[in-house]
Amino acid sequence: MTQKVAVLGTGKIGEALLSGVIRAGWPLPDLLVTARRPERAKELQERHGVTPVTNAEAAKAADTLILTVKPQDMGTLLDELAPHIPADRLVISGAAGIPTSFIEERLATGTPVVRVMTNTPALVDEAMSVISAGSHATAEHLAHAEEIFGAVGKTLRVPESQQDACTALSGSGPAYFFYLVEAMTDAGILLGLPRDKAHELIVQSAIGAAVMLRDSGEHPVKLRENVTSPAGTTINAIRELENHGVRAALIAALEAARDRSRELASGNS
C-alpha cells in the first residue's frame, strides 16, 4: 500500500470508504481528501487524521483519484481536474449512472478510468461494490480498485453494460429492505405489538435470513418453502403478497431504478 489516494467530494460514502481503508492499514500520509465546505474538510481531518487539499492539489499529488460527487456535479469537477491530471493517474468514479466514456472524454487521452457502484452498508463494512473497467483500464487497475473497496465489503467485477442493472439491484437495494422493514414494523403495531418489539423482531429475522441466504448455498425458493407449512400461517401471508402483486411491483421498481440510472448517464438531472 504505497500509492497515494485522494477521495474527492467526501460525503457519507466517501467517508465510509476513507475510514475503511484506514482500518485496513493504509498509511495516513498517503490519504488525501477534498470537500466542498472548509468546515467539512476540517471535520474529516480531525476525525480521521487525513490531509485536506483542494481538488487541483489532489489531482497533482495522488496516484489514484476517487470521485464521490453527485452525478450532476461530475462535469464541473472534471472540468476543474482536467488541466491537472496526468494520463497515468487512475480515476475511479463512484457516481451513479455516469459511464466511463463521459470521464475519459474530459481527461487526457489514455487516462485509465474504473467505474464503481457501492452502497450505504459501506458504513458498516458490508458494502456490495460493483466494478467495471473503462477502455484504458487494465487488470492491475481493477485489482487496485478491488483492494480499496474491499476494505468496506465485497466486490464484484461486471461489464460496464450491466452497471445500470447493478445500480438498481444493489446501489439502491438497501433502501428497498429498509422500506420493507418499515412496512412490517407498521404491520406489527397494527397487530398489537409495541414499536420497539416489532422492530427488534423484524431486524433480527432479516439478519438471520440474510445469513442463511449467504451461507447455506440454498436457493431462496427452497429456504422459503422450508418456512411454508401446508395450510399454515406463512402460506396465507404469501398468498396475500401474490394477490397484491408484490413480486410484479418489485420488478417494476427495479426497472424504474435502472431507467433512472440510464437517464443520469444521458445528462438528464
Side-chain angles (χ1 to χ4, degrees), residues 118-155:
T118 192
N119 56 19
T120 56
L123 294 165
V124 292
D125 292 346
E126 291 291 349
M128 184 69 250
S129 301
V130 184
I131 298 175
S132 301
S135 56
H136 306 296
T138 66
E140 183 179 355
H141 294 129
L142 288 173
H144 187 50
E146 288 174 332
E147 179 185 19
I148 294 171
F149 282 84
V152 293
K154 294 187 67 175
T155 63

PDB file of all heavy atoms in Angstrom, residues 118-155:
ATOM      1  N   THR A 118     -21.047   1.412  -5.295  1.00  0.00           N
ATOM      2  CA  THR A 118     -21.110   0.799  -3.978  1.00  0.00           C
ATOM      3  C   THR A 118     -22.432   1.193  -3.334  1.00  0.00           C
ATOM      4  O   THR A 118     -23.283   1.802  -3.967  1.00  0.00           O
ATOM      5  CB  THR A 118     -19.893   1.211  -3.117  1.00  0.00           C
ATOM      6  OG1 THR A 118     -19.827   0.392  -1.954  1.00  0.00           O
ATOM      7  CG2 THR A 118     -19.935   2.673  -2.740  1.00  0.00           C
ATOM      8  N   ASN A 119     -22.625   0.821  -2.063  1.00  0.00           N
ATOM      9  CA  ASN A 119     -23.882   1.181  -1.400  1.00  0.00           C
ATOM     10  C   ASN A 119     -23.634   1.532   0.061  1.00  0.00           C
ATOM     11  O   ASN A 119     -22.530   1.378   0.584  1.00  0.00           O
ATOM     12  CB  ASN A 119     -24.938   0.081  -1.553  1.00  0.00           C
ATOM     13  CG  ASN A 119     -24.481  -1.283  -1.056  1.00  0.00           C
ATOM     14  OD1 ASN A 119     -23.537  -1.397  -0.281  1.00  0.00           O
ATOM     15  ND2 ASN A 119     -25.169  -2.321  -1.487  1.00  0.00           N
ATOM     16  N   THR A 120     -24.677   2.011   0.720  1.00  0.00           N
ATOM     17  CA  THR A 120     -24.508   2.583   2.061  1.00  0.00           C
ATOM     18  C   THR A 120     -24.056   1.595   3.134  1.00  0.00           C
ATOM     19  O   THR A 120     -23.481   2.042   4.140  1.00  0.00           O
ATOM     20  CB  THR A 120     -25.795   3.276   2.537  1.00  0.00           C
ATOM     21  OG1 THR A 120     -26.888   2.344   2.495  1.00  0.00           O
ATOM     22  CG2 THR A 120     -26.115   4.474   1.663  1.00  0.00           C
ATOM     23  N   PRO A 121     -24.247   0.275   3.014  1.00  0.00           N
ATOM     24  CA  PRO A 121     -23.650  -0.606   4.021  1.00  0.00           C
ATOM     25  C   PRO A 121     -22.125  -0.528   4.105  1.00  0.00           C
ATOM     26  O   PRO A 121     -21.519  -1.159   4.972  1.00  0.00           O
ATOM     27  CB  PRO A 121     -24.117  -2.002   3.581  1.00  0.00           C
ATOM     28  CG  PRO A 121     -25.447  -1.742   2.949  1.00  0.00           C
ATOM     29  CD  PRO A 121     -25.240  -0.451   2.188  1.00  0.00           C
ATOM     30  N   ALA A 122     -21.517   0.271   3.222  1.00  0.00           N
ATOM     31  CA  ALA A 122     -20.092   0.586   3.402  1.00  0.00           C
ATOM     32  C   ALA A 122     -19.843   1.204   4.771  1.00  0.00           C
ATOM     33  O   ALA A 122     -18.749   1.089   5.333  1.00  0.00           O
ATOM     34  CB  ALA A 122     -19.631   1.558   2.310  1.00  0.00           C
ATOM     35  N   LEU A 123     -20.870   1.833   5.322  1.00  0.00           N
ATOM     36  CA  LEU A 123     -20.742   2.456   6.645  1.00  0.00           C
ATOM     37  C   LEU A 123     -20.478   1.431   7.739  1.00  0.00           C
ATOM     38  O   LEU A 123     -19.949   1.777   8.798  1.00  0.00           O
ATOM     39  CB  LEU A 123     -22.016   3.249   6.962  1.00  0.00           C
ATOM     40  CG  LEU A 123     -22.273   4.477   6.071  1.00  0.00           C
ATOM     41  CD1 LEU A 123     -23.711   4.948   6.221  1.00  0.00           C
ATOM     42  CD2 LEU A 123     -21.301   5.600   6.422  1.00  0.00           C
ATOM     43  N   VAL A 124     -20.852   0.168   7.494  1.00  0.00           N
ATOM     44  CA  VAL A 124     -20.631  -0.895   8.484  1.00  0.00           C
ATOM     45  C   VAL A 124     -19.787  -2.023   7.890  1.00  0.00           C
ATOM     46  O   VAL A 124     -19.844  -3.168   8.334  1.00  0.00           O
ATOM     47  CB  VAL A 124     -21.978  -1.441   9.023  1.00  0.00           C
ATOM     48  CG1 VAL A 124     -22.679  -0.379   9.855  1.00  0.00           C
ATOM     49  CG2 VAL A 124     -22.898  -1.918   7.895  1.00  0.00           C
ATOM     50  N   ASP A 125     -19.000  -1.700   6.864  1.00  0.00           N
ATOM     51  CA  ASP A 125     -18.096  -2.658   6.208  1.00  0.00           C
ATOM     52  C   ASP A 125     -18.820  -3.857   5.607  1.00  0.00           C
ATOM     53  O   ASP A 125     -18.289  -4.970   5.561  1.00  0.00           O
ATOM     54  CB  ASP A 125     -17.022  -3.152   7.196  1.00  0.00           C
ATOM     55  CG  ASP A 125     -16.050  -2.049   7.580  1.00  0.00           C
ATOM     56  OD1 ASP A 125     -16.032  -1.011   6.901  1.00  0.00           O
ATOM     57  OD2 ASP A 125     -15.309  -2.228   8.564  1.00  0.00           O
ATOM     58  N   GLU A 126     -20.054  -3.635   5.146  1.00  0.00           N
ATOM     59  CA  GLU A 126     -20.819  -4.702   4.498  1.00  0.00           C
ATOM     60  C   GLU A 126     -21.318  -4.257   3.127  1.00  0.00           C
ATOM     61  O   GLU A 126     -22.381  -4.673   2.666  1.00  0.00           O
ATOM     62  CB  GLU A 126     -22.000  -5.121   5.375  1.00  0.00           C
ATOM     63  CG  GLU A 126     -21.615  -5.840   6.654  1.00  0.00           C
ATOM     64  CD  GLU A 126     -21.045  -7.231   6.425  1.00  0.00           C
ATOM     65  OE1 GLU A 126     -21.131  -7.737   5.291  1.00  0.00           O
ATOM     66  OE2 GLU A 126     -20.495  -7.820   7.387  1.00  0.00           O
ATOM     67  N   ALA A 127     -20.546  -3.420   2.456  1.00  0.00           N
ATOM     68  CA  ALA A 127     -20.947  -2.907   1.143  1.00  0.00           C
ATOM     69  C   ALA A 127     -20.897  -3.996   0.082  1.00  0.00           C
ATOM     70  O   ALA A 127     -20.187  -4.999   0.208  1.00  0.00           O
ATOM     71  CB  ALA A 127     -20.047  -1.757   0.732  1.00  0.00           C
ATOM     72  N   MET A 128     -21.655  -3.772  -0.986  1.00  0.00           N
ATOM     73  CA  MET A 128     -21.508  -4.532  -2.223  1.00  0.00           C
ATOM     74  C   MET A 128     -21.062  -3.531  -3.283  1.00  0.00           C
ATOM     75  O   MET A 128     -21.815  -2.631  -3.642  1.00  0.00           O
ATOM     76  CB  MET A 128     -22.840  -5.167  -2.624  1.00  0.00           C
ATOM     77  CG  MET A 128     -22.750  -6.068  -3.859  1.00  0.00           C
ATOM     78  SD  MET A 128     -21.815  -7.593  -3.594  1.00  0.00           S
ATOM     79  CE  MET A 128     -20.350  -7.296  -4.580  1.00  0.00           C
ATOM     80  N   SER A 129     -19.830  -3.662  -3.721  1.00  0.00           N
ATOM     81  CA  SER A 129     -19.261  -2.731  -4.690  1.00  0.00           C
ATOM     82  C   SER A 129     -19.074  -3.443  -6.029  1.00  0.00           C
ATOM     83  O   SER A 129     -18.418  -4.483  -6.091  1.00  0.00           O
ATOM     84  CB  SER A 129     -17.918  -2.178  -4.199  1.00  0.00           C
ATOM     85  OG  SER A 129     -18.074  -1.500  -2.964  1.00  0.00           O
ATOM     86  N   VAL A 130     -19.640  -2.869  -7.071  1.00  0.00           N
ATOM     87  CA  VAL A 130     -19.602  -3.461  -8.407  1.00  0.00           C
ATOM     88  C   VAL A 130     -18.620  -2.653  -9.256  1.00  0.00           C
ATOM     89  O   VAL A 130     -18.741  -1.430  -9.359  1.00  0.00           O
ATOM     90  CB  VAL A 130     -20.999  -3.479  -9.036  1.00  0.00           C
ATOM     91  CG1 VAL A 130     -20.973  -4.182 -10.376  1.00  0.00           C
ATOM     92  CG2 VAL A 130     -21.989  -4.167  -8.099  1.00  0.00           C
ATOM     93  N   ILE A 131     -17.659  -3.332  -9.872  1.00  0.00           N
ATOM     94  CA  ILE A 131     -16.512  -2.680 -10.506  1.00  0.00           C
ATOM     95  C   ILE A 131     -16.464  -3.002 -11.994  1.00  0.00           C
ATOM     96  O   ILE A 131     -16.602  -4.160 -12.396  1.00  0.00           O
ATOM     97  CB  ILE A 131     -15.210  -3.135  -9.818  1.00  0.00           C
ATOM     98  CG1 ILE A 131     -15.221  -2.706  -8.341  1.00  0.00           C
ATOM     99  CG2 ILE A 131     -13.988  -2.584 -10.536  1.00  0.00           C
ATOM    100  CD1 ILE A 131     -14.036  -3.200  -7.546  1.00  0.00           C
ATOM    101  N   SER A 132     -16.280  -1.943 -12.814  1.00  0.00           N
ATOM    102  CA  SER A 132     -16.181  -2.113 -14.260  1.00  0.00           C
ATOM    103  C   SER A 132     -15.021  -1.292 -14.800  1.00  0.00           C
ATOM    104  O   SER A 132     -14.754  -0.181 -14.330  1.00  0.00           O
ATOM    105  CB  SER A 132     -17.479  -1.655 -14.948  1.00  0.00           C
ATOM    106  OG  SER A 132     -18.589  -2.379 -14.478  1.00  0.00           O
ATOM    107  N   ALA A 133     -14.368  -1.836 -15.821  1.00  0.00           N
ATOM    108  CA  ALA A 133     -13.217  -1.169 -16.424  1.00  0.00           C
ATOM    109  C   ALA A 133     -13.646  -0.264 -17.557  1.00  0.00           C
ATOM    110  O   ALA A 133     -14.529  -0.607 -18.359  1.00  0.00           O
ATOM    111  CB  ALA A 133     -12.230  -2.207 -16.946  1.00  0.00           C
ATOM    112  N   GLY A 134     -13.025   0.926 -17.631  1.00  0.00           N
ATOM    113  CA  GLY A 134     -13.151   1.758 -18.816  1.00  0.00           C
ATOM    114  C   GLY A 134     -12.244   1.241 -19.917  1.00  0.00           C
ATOM    115  O   GLY A 134     -11.568   0.217 -19.759  1.00  0.00           O
ATOM    116  N   SER A 135     -12.191   1.960 -21.015  1.00  0.00           N
ATOM    117  CA  SER A 135     -11.480   1.443 -22.194  1.00  0.00           C
ATOM    118  C   SER A 135      -9.961   1.402 -22.015  1.00  0.00           C
ATOM    119  O   SER A 135      -9.271   0.686 -22.755  1.00  0.00           O
ATOM    120  CB  SER A 135     -11.841   2.279 -23.424  1.00  0.00           C
ATOM    121  OG  SER A 135     -11.572   3.645 -23.200  1.00  0.00           O
ATOM    122  N   HIS A 136      -9.417   2.144 -21.054  1.00  0.00           N
ATOM    123  CA  HIS A 136      -7.962   2.167 -20.853  1.00  0.00           C
ATOM    124  C   HIS A 136      -7.533   1.506 -19.547  1.00  0.00           C
ATOM    125  O   HIS A 136      -6.336   1.484 -19.241  1.00  0.00           O
ATOM    126  CB  HIS A 136      -7.448   3.612 -20.883  1.00  0.00           C
ATOM    127  CG  HIS A 136      -7.850   4.368 -22.102  1.00  0.00           C
ATOM    128  ND1 HIS A 136      -7.438   4.026 -23.375  1.00  0.00           N
ATOM    129  CD2 HIS A 136      -8.672   5.458 -22.250  1.00  0.00           C
ATOM    130  CE1 HIS A 136      -7.973   4.868 -24.255  1.00  0.00           C
ATOM    131  NE2 HIS A 136      -8.720   5.732 -23.599  1.00  0.00           N
ATOM    132  N   ALA A 137      -8.465   0.985 -18.784  1.00  0.00           N
ATOM    133  CA  ALA A 137      -8.138   0.367 -17.501  1.00  0.00           C
ATOM    134  C   ALA A 137      -7.673  -1.070 -17.699  1.00  0.00           C
ATOM    135  O   ALA A 137      -8.263  -1.825 -18.471  1.00  0.00           O
ATOM    136  CB  ALA A 137      -9.338   0.406 -16.563  1.00  0.00           C
ATOM    137  N   THR A 138      -6.645  -1.453 -16.972  1.00  0.00           N
ATOM    138  CA  THR A 138      -6.080  -2.792 -17.072  1.00  0.00           C
ATOM    139  C   THR A 138      -6.534  -3.648 -15.895  1.00  0.00           C
ATOM    140  O   THR A 138      -7.182  -3.171 -14.960  1.00  0.00           O
ATOM    141  CB  THR A 138      -4.547  -2.711 -17.067  1.00  0.00           C
ATOM    142  OG1 THR A 138      -4.121  -2.218 -15.777  1.00  0.00           O
ATOM    143  CG2 THR A 138      -4.041  -1.780 -18.162  1.00  0.00           C
ATOM    144  N   ALA A 139      -6.150  -4.917 -15.936  1.00  0.00           N
ATOM    145  CA  ALA A 139      -6.449  -5.821 -14.820  1.00  0.00           C
ATOM    146  C   ALA A 139      -5.808  -5.316 -13.532  1.00  0.00           C
ATOM    147  O   ALA A 139      -6.377  -5.464 -12.441  1.00  0.00           O
ATOM    148  CB  ALA A 139      -5.952  -7.232 -15.144  1.00  0.00           C
ATOM    149  N   GLU A 140      -4.641  -4.696 -13.648  1.00  0.00           N
ATOM    150  CA  GLU A 140      -3.974  -4.141 -12.476  1.00  0.00           C
ATOM    151  C   GLU A 140      -4.794  -3.003 -11.871  1.00  0.00           C
ATOM    152  O   GLU A 140      -4.904  -2.887 -10.644  1.00  0.00           O
ATOM    153  CB  GLU A 140      -2.582  -3.642 -12.858  1.00  0.00           C
ATOM    154  CG  GLU A 140      -1.775  -3.110 -11.679  1.00  0.00           C
ATOM    155  CD  GLU A 140      -0.388  -2.650 -12.089  1.00  0.00           C
ATOM    156  OE1 GLU A 140      -0.012  -2.833 -13.267  1.00  0.00           O
ATOM    157  OE2 GLU A 140       0.322  -2.098 -11.219  1.00  0.00           O
ATOM    158  N   HIS A 141      -5.366  -2.173 -12.721  1.00  0.00           N
ATOM    159  CA  HIS A 141      -6.207  -1.080 -12.223  1.00  0.00           C
ATOM    160  C   HIS A 141      -7.448  -1.622 -11.512  1.00  0.00           C
ATOM    161  O   HIS A 141      -7.853  -1.110 -10.457  1.00  0.00           O
ATOM    162  CB  HIS A 141      -6.632  -0.179 -13.381  1.00  0.00           C
ATOM    163  CG  HIS A 141      -5.500   0.568 -14.014  1.00  0.00           C
ATOM    164  ND1 HIS A 141      -5.280   0.577 -15.374  1.00  0.00           N
ATOM    165  CD2 HIS A 141      -4.506   1.320 -13.458  1.00  0.00           C
ATOM    166  CE1 HIS A 141      -4.218   1.316 -15.640  1.00  0.00           C
ATOM    167  NE2 HIS A 141      -3.727   1.761 -14.493  1.00  0.00           N
ATOM    168  N   LEU A 142      -8.061  -2.659 -12.091  1.00  0.00           N
ATOM    169  CA  LEU A 142      -9.227  -3.267 -11.454  1.00  0.00           C
ATOM    170  C   LEU A 142      -8.859  -3.879 -10.103  1.00  0.00           C
ATOM    171  O   LEU A 142      -9.617  -3.750  -9.129  1.00  0.00           O
ATOM    172  CB  LEU A 142      -9.823  -4.338 -12.370  1.00  0.00           C
ATOM    173  CG  LEU A 142     -10.558  -3.846 -13.610  1.00  0.00           C
ATOM    174  CD1 LEU A 142     -10.930  -5.022 -14.502  1.00  0.00           C
ATOM    175  CD2 LEU A 142     -11.801  -3.053 -13.245  1.00  0.00           C
ATOM    176  N   ALA A 143      -7.710  -4.522 -10.047  1.00  0.00           N
ATOM    177  CA  ALA A 143      -7.275  -5.129  -8.790  1.00  0.00           C
ATOM    178  C   ALA A 143      -7.038  -4.057  -7.727  1.00  0.00           C
ATOM    179  O   ALA A 143      -7.337  -4.260  -6.541  1.00  0.00           O
ATOM    180  CB  ALA A 143      -6.002  -5.941  -9.015  1.00  0.00           C
ATOM    181  N   HIS A 144      -6.525  -2.920  -8.147  1.00  0.00           N
ATOM    182  CA  HIS A 144      -6.292  -1.830  -7.199  1.00  0.00           C
ATOM    183  C   HIS A 144      -7.622  -1.285  -6.677  1.00  0.00           C
ATOM    184  O   HIS A 144      -7.764  -1.007  -5.474  1.00  0.00           O
ATOM    185  CB  HIS A 144      -5.490  -0.717  -7.872  1.00  0.00           C
ATOM    186  CG  HIS A 144      -5.067   0.374  -6.944  1.00  0.00           C
ATOM    187  ND1 HIS A 144      -4.431   0.138  -5.750  1.00  0.00           N
ATOM    188  CD2 HIS A 144      -5.192   1.724  -7.033  1.00  0.00           C
ATOM    189  CE1 HIS A 144      -4.177   1.290  -5.145  1.00  0.00           C
ATOM    190  NE2 HIS A 144      -4.644   2.270  -5.898  1.00  0.00           N
ATOM    191  N   ALA A 145      -8.605  -1.144  -7.564  1.00  0.00           N
ATOM    192  CA  ALA A 145      -9.936  -0.701  -7.135  1.00  0.00           C
ATOM    193  C   ALA A 145     -10.549  -1.708  -6.168  1.00  0.00           C
ATOM    194  O   ALA A 145     -11.182  -1.333  -5.170  1.00  0.00           O
ATOM    195  CB  ALA A 145     -10.845  -0.506  -8.347  1.00  0.00           C
ATOM    196  N   GLU A 146     -10.356  -2.996  -6.445  1.00  0.00           N
ATOM    197  CA  GLU A 146     -10.867  -4.030  -5.545  1.00  0.00           C
ATOM    198  C   GLU A 146     -10.189  -3.960  -4.179  1.00  0.00           C
ATOM    199  O   GLU A 146     -10.838  -4.171  -3.146  1.00  0.00           O
ATOM    200  CB  GLU A 146     -10.662  -5.411  -6.174  1.00  0.00           C
ATOM    201  CG  GLU A 146     -11.589  -5.679  -7.342  1.00  0.00           C
ATOM    202  CD  GLU A 146     -11.267  -6.987  -8.045  1.00  0.00           C
ATOM    203  OE1 GLU A 146     -10.077  -7.404  -8.008  1.00  0.00           O
ATOM    204  OE2 GLU A 146     -12.179  -7.580  -8.640  1.00  0.00           O
ATOM    205  N   GLU A 147      -8.898  -3.676  -4.171  1.00  0.00           N
ATOM    206  CA  GLU A 147      -8.177  -3.556  -2.902  1.00  0.00           C
ATOM    207  C   GLU A 147      -8.770  -2.426  -2.058  1.00  0.00           C
ATOM    208  O   GLU A 147      -8.962  -2.573  -0.848  1.00  0.00           O
ATOM    209  CB  GLU A 147      -6.699  -3.283  -3.171  1.00  0.00           C
ATOM    210  CG  GLU A 147      -5.866  -3.121  -1.903  1.00  0.00           C
ATOM    211  CD  GLU A 147      -4.424  -2.736  -2.206  1.00  0.00           C
ATOM    212  OE1 GLU A 147      -4.148  -2.256  -3.322  1.00  0.00           O
ATOM    213  OE2 GLU A 147      -3.589  -2.897  -1.309  1.00  0.00           O
ATOM    214  N   ILE A 148      -9.075  -1.310  -2.702  1.00  0.00           N
ATOM    215  CA  ILE A 148      -9.611  -0.152  -1.978  1.00  0.00           C
ATOM    216  C   ILE A 148     -11.017  -0.439  -1.474  1.00  0.00           C
ATOM    217  O   ILE A 148     -11.311  -0.304  -0.278  1.00  0.00           O
ATOM    218  CB  ILE A 148      -9.600   1.095  -2.882  1.00  0.00           C
ATOM    219  CG1 ILE A 148      -8.161   1.509  -3.208  1.00  0.00           C
ATOM    220  CG2 ILE A 148     -10.357   2.246  -2.212  1.00  0.00           C
ATOM    221  CD1 ILE A 148      -8.056   2.584  -4.263  1.00  0.00           C
ATOM    222  N   PHE A 149     -11.904  -0.863  -2.372  1.00  0.00           N
ATOM    223  CA  PHE A 149     -13.303  -1.039  -1.989  1.00  0.00           C
ATOM    224  C   PHE A 149     -13.523  -2.326  -1.197  1.00  0.00           C
ATOM    225  O   PHE A 149     -14.518  -2.449  -0.485  1.00  0.00           O
ATOM    226  CB  PHE A 149     -14.203  -0.985  -3.230  1.00  0.00           C
ATOM    227  CG  PHE A 149     -14.434   0.406  -3.716  1.00  0.00           C
ATOM    228  CD1 PHE A 149     -13.516   1.023  -4.557  1.00  0.00           C
ATOM    229  CD2 PHE A 149     -15.551   1.128  -3.314  1.00  0.00           C
ATOM    230  CE1 PHE A 149     -13.702   2.327  -4.993  1.00  0.00           C
ATOM    231  CE2 PHE A 149     -15.756   2.427  -3.740  1.00  0.00           C
ATOM    232  CZ  PHE A 149     -14.832   3.033  -4.575  1.00  0.00           C
ATOM    233  N   GLY A 150     -12.579  -3.264  -1.292  1.00  0.00           N
ATOM    234  CA  GLY A 150     -12.659  -4.463  -0.470  1.00  0.00           C
ATOM    235  C   GLY A 150     -12.514  -4.164   1.009  1.00  0.00           C
ATOM    236  O   GLY A 150     -12.875  -4.992   1.848  1.00  0.00           O
ATOM    237  N   ALA A 151     -12.019  -2.972   1.344  1.00  0.00           N
ATOM    238  CA  ALA A 151     -11.883  -2.586   2.742  1.00  0.00           C
ATOM    239  C   ALA A 151     -13.230  -2.340   3.402  1.00  0.00           C
ATOM    240  O   ALA A 151     -13.317  -2.322   4.632  1.00  0.00           O
ATOM    241  CB  ALA A 151     -11.015  -1.328   2.862  1.00  0.00           C
ATOM    242  N   VAL A 152     -14.291  -2.147   2.604  1.00  0.00           N
ATOM    243  CA  VAL A 152     -15.610  -1.850   3.186  1.00  0.00           C
ATOM    244  C   VAL A 152     -16.670  -2.878   2.781  1.00  0.00           C
ATOM    245  O   VAL A 152     -17.865  -2.634   2.914  1.00  0.00           O
ATOM    246  CB  VAL A 152     -16.085  -0.427   2.818  1.00  0.00           C
ATOM    247  CG1 VAL A 152     -15.210   0.610   3.483  1.00  0.00           C
ATOM    248  CG2 VAL A 152     -16.116  -0.214   1.301  1.00  0.00           C
ATOM    249  N   GLY A 153     -16.249  -4.048   2.298  1.00  0.00           N
ATOM    250  CA  GLY A 153     -17.229  -5.068   1.947  1.00  0.00           C
ATOM    251  C   GLY A 153     -16.758  -5.943   0.795  1.00  0.00           C
ATOM    252  O   GLY A 153     -15.558  -6.104   0.562  1.00  0.00           O
ATOM    253  N   LYS A 154     -17.721  -6.497   0.065  1.00  0.00           N
ATOM    254  CA  LYS A 154     -17.431  -7.379  -1.059  1.00  0.00           C
ATOM    255  C   LYS A 154     -17.348  -6.589  -2.353  1.00  0.00           C
ATOM    256  O   LYS A 154     -17.943  -5.516  -2.483  1.00  0.00           O
ATOM    257  CB  LYS A 154     -18.512  -8.462  -1.186  1.00  0.00           C
ATOM    258  CG  LYS A 154     -18.552  -9.451  -0.040  1.00  0.00           C
ATOM    259  CD  LYS A 154     -19.526 -10.585  -0.324  1.00  0.00           C
ATOM    260  CE  LYS A 154     -19.051 -11.458  -1.484  1.00  0.00           C
ATOM    261  NZ  LYS A 154     -19.920 -12.639  -1.692  1.00  0.00           N
ATOM    262  N   THR A 155     -16.634  -7.151  -3.324  1.00  0.00           N
ATOM    263  CA  THR A 155     -16.548  -6.539  -4.649  1.00  0.00           C
ATOM    264  C   THR A 155     -16.904  -7.574  -5.708  1.00  0.00           C
ATOM    265  O   THR A 155     -16.746  -8.782  -5.505  1.00  0.00           O
ATOM    266  CB  THR A 155     -15.136  -5.989  -4.932  1.00  0.00           C
ATOM    267  OG1 THR A 155     -14.194  -7.073  -4.940  1.00  0.00           O
ATOM    268  CG2 THR A 155     -14.729  -4.957  -3.893  1.00  0.00           C
TER     269      THR A 155
END
